[in-house]
Amino acid sequence: MERDLLAKLLVNLTRSHDGVLSQAELIKGFESVLSTLEDAVNDAPKAPEFLGRIFGKMIVENVMSLKEIGRLIGEGGEEARQLVEIGLGGDVIGSTLGMIKKERGESVLNEIRGSSCLRLEDFRPSHPNRSRILETFL
């Protein structure tokens, strides 16, 4: 799939010997994507899932940590915690975890989660419409 190729391209550009894409540039790009995610969902309802798969690839390839991805999602949106409050943050982090589990198995997922010290409960929105994707990991 094209989305999987995009994740592979980002990994390769970040890992290249020429330093084509720095860690800071990658993070800045993801911040930009997250700031417009709410609008993107109108045209692409599965955008949070696709983004989560890309984040999962970044983690399993040791390009970024789950802790860093969690920070980006928590701060994502037009305002900090906006994505979490509307439920999209939970969808993204849930899809990220799902991709890691699918690619590397539950034991690796548990190891990554444990080392990140990330509290998944922090990605639950305060209103009753919670992310169903995230709930499978709580």
Side-chain angles (χ1 to χ4, degrees):
M1 245 189 222
E2 290 83 19
R3 287 173 291 278
D4 296 331
L5 291 174
L6 174 59
K8 188 174 182 177
L9 174 64
L10 290 171
V11 167
N12 289 332
L13 288 174
T14 305
R15 285 189 169 166
S16 73
H17 297 294
D18 300 334
V20 176
L21 185 63
S22 71
Q23 181 85 8
E25 291 168 327
L26 183 65
I27 290 170
K28 191 154 188 75
F30 284 139
E31 287 172 342
S32 177
V33 169
L34 288 165
S35 72
T36 60
L37 184 61
E38 187 176 2
D39 292 332
V41 169
N42 293 326
D43 296 325
K46 293 192 176 234
E49 294 172 46
F50 299 147
L51 183 57
R53 287 174 35 193
I54 291 171
F55 282 162
K57 186 71 168 174
M58 298 295 109
I59 294 166
V60 298
E61 294 293 334
N62 295 314
V63 173
M64 295 180 75
S65 69
L66 179 58
K67 184 175 183 173
E68 182 67 20
I69 297 291
R71 182 192 66 77
L72 290 171
I73 294 169
E75 295 175 0
E78 292 179 13
E79 297 176 18
R81 297 210 38 89
Q82 180 177 350
L83 292 180
V84 171
E85 288 304 317
I86 61 175
L88 292 177
D91 289 346
V92 174
I93 199 76
S95 295
T96 300
L97 298 173
M99 186 280 183
I100 295 168
K101 183 178 179 180
K102 180 181 174 189
E103 290 284 315
R104 299 293 165 97
E106 191 153 356
S107 63
V108 171
L109 172 63
N110 290 337
E111 183 181 315
I112 290 170
R113 281 183 62 186
S115 66
S116 74
C117 300
L118 198 67
R119 290 176 21 95
L120 296 183
E121 297 81 14
D122 293 342
F123 295 91
R124 279 182 160 167
S126 57
H127 57 79
N129 296 331
R130 294 185 175 152
S131 167
R132 285 176 272 142
I133 300 170
L134 175 63
E135 292 299 313
T136 61
F137 295 98
L138 293 171

